[in-house]
Amino acid sequence: MAEITGSCPPGFTAVGERFAAHIDAGEELGARFSVCIDGELVLDLMGGHADAARTTPFGTDTLTPVFSTTKAVTALMMARLVDQGLIAYDTPVAEVWPEFAQAGKGAVTLAQMLSHQAGLPGFVPAAEPEIWFDAAAVCARLAAQAPLWPLGTGSGYHPITVGYLAGEVFRRLDGRTLGTALRQDLCDPLGLDIWIGLPDSEHGRVAQMRKPPAAPDLGTIDAIKRAAFLDKGSAPGGRGSADWRRMEIPSANGHATADALARLMSAIAGGGALDGQAVISPATLEALTSERVRGPDKVVPFDLIWAAGLMKNTGANDLGPGAQTVGHYGWGGSMAMADPERRLSVAYVMNKQSVHLVADPRPVALIETLYGCL
């Protein structure tokens, strides 16, 4: 059986066995699964390797790219702006960012933008992939672009653009970039190993990612899905991985450890506080996690329920059995979730990506086993 490190109290033995079985079966290269209850880390499993050559164990300081799981962190940071009274969820984005009102977008609210209703999942016409390394250019293009569907007709997942949109609103209101504020206000004071915009000093800790064997299933392809996922410029390219890590892409390039993500999500699971520090007020937490839109998504082939930047549990997304659970998955398997009914938060990171955009079978199985132990 694979060597598993970390902590696994007797009551969670079945979770440890399931985690080890994934590694033994070759489903993982390296991975970590962390669980907090009432803000306390009660289960923390890691195993496998951080590198393709299998020479470096996946350890406590291994950072992993978490792709769209980053959006859960960004949703919390945007909620803090609401909590500070700098903006409300029903405020039109154009009140903060006047240029955004172009092409019929003047009524788009912050909540609609964060719940993927703004109609801007990608560039039309397509852009060159290098544009993503110039945040000002990305925001100018998106501000000028018309929505790809009428406002109020549903959600369409914005895989990368939503991070730039949120980041621009954050910068205009706070004066700092979202990644800088994350470090200064939450991660440094609370000891959280989460980064949006990774400095060179931390690059040596990043796990080597094994890309998925195939592209995700997007269902029937149309112009909206091509703009979001398939056009040449639908994702960053043309520069190296170090440049990508340094950039702040609050939708896609977060780097984190599982225990840090689980601890951060415990603020959502536990009424808005972490380690006795108020992260957001209970009233803002309720607004953050309230349903904003539900139904068939226009980009990914799922029925989704969106809060203000967080996925709400539908049963199909396999965020456990909790009716109030919220969270987010990342491309290839990573995930973070919060179950307020049980004051439980969970995070899973790995460096062997699968084809799944949501509900990767590995964390789904671990979560199912976890709830069986509670």
Side-chain angles (χ1 to χ4, degrees), residues 295-319:
D297 193 83
K298 299 177 187 297
V299 173
V300 291
F302 312 114
D303 283 358
L304 298 175
I305 306 174
W306 283 105
L310 296 169
M311 293 178 176
K312 290 182 71 70
N313 205 3
T314 65
N317 288 342
D318 295 291
L319 289 171

Side-chain angles (χ1 to χ4, degrees), residues 184-319:
Q184 293 177 349
D185 297 350
L186 293 181
C187 293
D188 286 346
L190 295 169
L192 300 174
D193 202 357
I194 304 171
W195 309 77
I196 299 176
L198 191 68
D200 288 7
S201 61
E202 310 301 322
H203 288 197
R205 299 197 287 131
V206 177
Q208 295 178 4
M209 301 299 292
R210 180 178 291 179
K211 296 295 178 65
D217 178 15
L218 297 175
T220 302
I221 301 302
D222 58 17
I224 294 174
K225 295 181 181 186
R226 281 195 295 272
F229 276 109
L230 301 175
D231 284 342
K232 178 184 177 184
S234 61
R239 295 172 66 172
S241 59
D243 284 335
W244 178 78
R245 289 175 185 149
R246 292 183 194 109
M247 274 292 294
E248 287 191 22
I249 308 177
S251 49
N253 81 332
H255 292 72
T257 61
D259 64 319
L261 283 173
R263 287 185 59 217
L264 183 65
M265 294 299 286
S266 72
I268 297 174
L274 174 59
D275 292 351
Q277 176 177 321
V279 176
I280 57 173
S281 68
T284 302
L285 177 60
E286 182 177 358
L288 165 63
T289 57
S290 293
E291 178 180 326
R292 303 294 174 170
V293 64
R294 70 162 62 203
D297 193 83
K298 299 177 187 297
V299 173
V300 291
F302 312 114
D303 283 358
L304 298 175
I305 306 174
W306 283 105
L310 296 169
M311 293 178 176
K312 290 182 71 70
N313 205 3
T314 65
N317 288 342
D318 295 291
L319 289 171

